[in-house]
């Protein structure tokens, strides 16, 4: 057994109570390491330390904070190969995606490093003569970051970087399925110049340490990414303390493929959106809404493309789709295949467990055809390499199907018709819309978030992040009597 990877609390690496083993989903014989589980007392110590450190950090000169964020970002980008390999080994995404994720995480830090210097307020004259008004943003305080396993480094980065940029302290509870990426990022943050206790890593189960974190009155704000049921539980806990909340949850993103689409482009966009990251993305294209005029030709090429995808070891450079993250997730995916069949959908390809040379959680990319939008496979987030084709007869019907969902994160259209593209962009009820691009894949300098059950609270990323990580103060200033 290797060395225990520890939690980082109040500036120290501490062992916690109990530990978990982390295995490679591509190759179950590969044990990545053992990871400490934080105790309730560890969490309390982290909260206390964060509370003490935050005002000191907020009072630091802007350029000193900027330098810290720049250093974290640069180190992540410089080590993208090494840390991306670790990420792919524990999460299962192909190496290029793992490296790309770590590099992108670095870009979040360098972007928010620059934002440290762009914190401009507003001023106004008062309605009272001689009085001036100054409106500025202040840190919210101690932020709890709860992140998922599917983008273990990038999601954490797009929460931690703005939290620190705007002068907050952080308690990070990463997903227990991907602790190696969490320890790697924490190590980089740990050796920066900063007040002791400003940044804390508490690994452990969501139901225990996560729940205690979100119930704590010591937490001023919670930023969460994960499933809708857990999000609702967190919201119920947070409201007891009136804790500020930002949540990014599941979705059921639709890609509309119109009769005038470039067919090759449409198929490539659909394959990338449906099966990138093994379909384990909140932005995945899990519904393909296809015009009847091109339906058969599109399905034929889509199925051929899905069948041709190389499923394999995350670290094999030829792999196009890695394994599913865990045994539980694989079992759930296969259950959805049965649900789809039982409700009358036809599985045109894939959707089966694969036995490979290395034991792992492999399944083939699956395409359902002849599906209806009210089937469970088109209503519930599967988070699987499974997509479902819904045939429609017009653009209007396509738009209605796209919008007929309880979610609303991303949607996309493939068309050559500018008028349709513009109409779609304005009328799709999602937080992100794409035209002739996959529904997955977003930038870091602009807002990200959805509608309906997909999101709650202010948007993440870009400058909009300031709305969540700061509170507004309005100051009235009178010059007083002339001296
Ligand atoms: P969860 O929503 O369970 O987990 C997300 C994070 O929340 C993890 O860090 C988890 O901890 C933590 N958590 C769980 N329960 C609590 C709690 N009561 N209080 C505080 N934190 C908690 O997602 P899963 O990993 O279980 O995945 C299940 C499904 O969620 C997927 O199939 C998918 O549909 C959806 N999902 C959506 C994501 C997205 O990007 N929108 C990302 C991940 C999942 P831990 O896991 O360590 O116990």
């Amino acid at each position: 057994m290797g060395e225990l990877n520890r939690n980082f609390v109040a500036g120290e690496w501490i062992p916690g109570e109990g530990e978990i083993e982390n295995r490679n989903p591509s190759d179950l014989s590969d044990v990545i390491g053992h990871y400490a589980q934080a105790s309730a007392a560890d969490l309390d110590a982290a909260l206390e330390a964060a509370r003490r450190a935050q005002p000191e950090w907020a009072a630091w000169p802007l350029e000193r904070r900027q330098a810290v964020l720049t250093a974290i970002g640069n180190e992540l980008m410089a080590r993208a190969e090494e840390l991306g390999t670790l990420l792919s080994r524990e999460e299962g995404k192909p190496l290029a995606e793992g490296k790309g994720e770590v590099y992108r995480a670095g870009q979040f830090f360098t972007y928010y490093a620059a934002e440290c210097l762009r914190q401009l307020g507003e001023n106004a004259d008062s309605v009272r003569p001689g009085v001036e008004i100054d409106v500025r943003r202040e840190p919210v305080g101690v932020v709890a970051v709860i992140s998922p396993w599917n983008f273990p480094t990038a999601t954490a980065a797009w929460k931690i970087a703005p939290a620190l940029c705007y002068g907050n302290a952080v308690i990070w509870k990463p997903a227990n399925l991907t602790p190696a990426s969490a320890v790697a990022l924490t190590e980089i943050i740990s050796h920066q110049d900063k007040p002791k206790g400003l940044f804390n890593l508490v690994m452990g189960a969501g139901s225990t340490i996560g729940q205690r974190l979100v119930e704590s009155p010591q937490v001023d704000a919670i930023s969460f990414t994960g499933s809708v049921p857990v999000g609702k539980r967190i919201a119920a806990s947070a409201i007891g303390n009136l804790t500020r909340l930002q949540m990014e949850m599941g979705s059921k993103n639709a890609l509309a493929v119109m009769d005038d689409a470039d067919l090759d482009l449409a198929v490539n966009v659909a394959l990338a959106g449906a099966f990138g990251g093994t379909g384990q993305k909140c932005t995945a294209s899990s519904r393909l809404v296809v015009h009847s005029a091109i339906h058969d030709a599109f399905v034929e090429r889509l199925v051929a493309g899905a069948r041709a995808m190389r499923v394999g070891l995350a670290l094999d450079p030829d792999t196009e789709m890695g394994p599913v993250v865990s045994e539980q997730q694989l079992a759930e995916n296969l259950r959805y295949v049965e649900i789809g069949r039982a409700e009358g959908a036809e599985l045109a390809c894939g959707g089966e467990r694969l036995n490979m040379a290395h034991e792992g959680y492999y399944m083939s990319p699956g395409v359902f055809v002849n599906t209806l939008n009210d089937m469970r496979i088109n209503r519930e987030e599967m988070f699987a390499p499974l997509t479902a084709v819904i045939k429609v007869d017009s653009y209007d019907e396509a738009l209605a199907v796209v919008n007929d969902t309880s979610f609303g994160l991303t949607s996309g259209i493939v068309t050559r018709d500018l008028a349709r593209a513009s109409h779609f962009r304005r009328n799709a009820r999602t937080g992100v819309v794409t035209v002739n691009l996959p529904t997955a894949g977003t930038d870091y300098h602009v807002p990200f978030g959805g509608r309906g059950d997909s999101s709650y609270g202010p948007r993440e990323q870009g400058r909009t992040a300031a709305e969540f990580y700061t509170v507004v103060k309005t100051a009235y200033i009178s010059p007083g009597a002339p001296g």
Side-chain angles (χ1 to χ4, degrees), residues 269-407:
V269 161
L271 288 170
F275 303 124
T278 319
Q280 302 170 139
K281 292 186 185 177
C282 52
T283 50
S285 310
S286 54
R287 295 183 295 149
L288 303 175
V289 183
V290 182
H291 196 288
S292 51
I294 52 142
H295 175 273
D296 293 356
F298 173 82
V299 166
E300 191 184 321
R301 293 191 202 191
L302 179 76
V303 168
R307 283 204 173 112
M309 280 190 95
R310 288 189 297 271
V311 179
L313 283 174
L315 299 187
D316 180 340
D318 290 335
T319 293
E320 291 173 320
M321 194 180 95
V324 166
V325 74
S326 66
E327 181 76 60
Q328 193 189 338
Q329 190 74 37
L330 178 59
E332 188 71 359
N333 297 353
L334 297 174
R335 195 175 67 89
Y336 270 113
V337 171
E338 290 317 311
I339 290 172
R341 281 204 176 108
E343 53 192 356
E346 185 191 325
L347 191 64
C349 68
E352 289 171 336
R353 183 166 194 159
L354 296 174
N355 291 314
M356 316 285 281
H358 298 272
E359 197 190 341
Y361 308 123
Y362 294 100
M363 74 179 280
S364 47
V367 176
F368 279 114
V369 293
N370 295 331
T371 78
L372 300 172
N373 197 42
D374 60 5
M375 290 177 174
R376 281 182 65 190
I377 55 165
N378 282 324
R379 312 237 43 112
E380 299 171 15
E381 181 172 57
M382 298 189 282
F383 231 55
L386 294 171
T387 191
V389 176
I390 304 166
K391 196 197 282 191
V392 292
D393 289 322
S394 66
Y395 166 74
D396 290 342
E397 190 186 346
L399 180 63
V401 169
V402 167
N403 286 338
D404 180 11
T405 174
S406 61
F407 296 106

Side-chain angles (χ1 to χ4, degrees), residues 249-263:
M249 296 168 285
S251 196
K252 203 67 205 165
N253 311 297
L255 177 74
V257 180
M258 289 298 94
D259 47 347
D260 61 4
D262 171 335
L263 215 51

Side-chain angles (χ1 to χ4, degrees), residues 112-134:
Y112 282 105
E115 284 301 302
C116 287
L117 298 181
R118 288 199 203 102
Q119 300 183 45
L120 303 180
E122 291 179 331
N123 51 54
D125 288 333
S126 167
V127 295
R128 285 167 280 174
V131 174
E132 288 183 358
I133 300 173
D134 167 272

Side-chain angles (χ1 to χ4, degrees), residues 37 145-151 155 158 173-178 204-214 224-231 233-234 237 248-251 280-283 325 328-329 332-333 381-384 409 454:
Q37 302 288 280
V145 168
I146 300 178
S147 58
W149 46 263
N150 62 332
F151 284 98
T155 309
W158 78 59
K173 206 305 282 175
N176 243 353
L177 278 171
T178 47
S207 55
T208 55
I209 210 73
Q211 186 62 36
R212 187 176 177 87
L213 177 60
V214 298
F224 164 79
T225 299
S227 62
V228 174
V230 170
R233 208 169 311 140
I234 289 176
S237 306
E248 210 53 66
M249 296 168 285
S251 196
Q280 302 170 139
K281 292 186 185 177
C282 52
T283 50
V325 74
Q328 193 189 338
Q329 190 74 37
E332 188 71 359
N333 297 353
E381 181 172 57
M382 298 189 282
F383 231 55
L409 188 54
S454 292

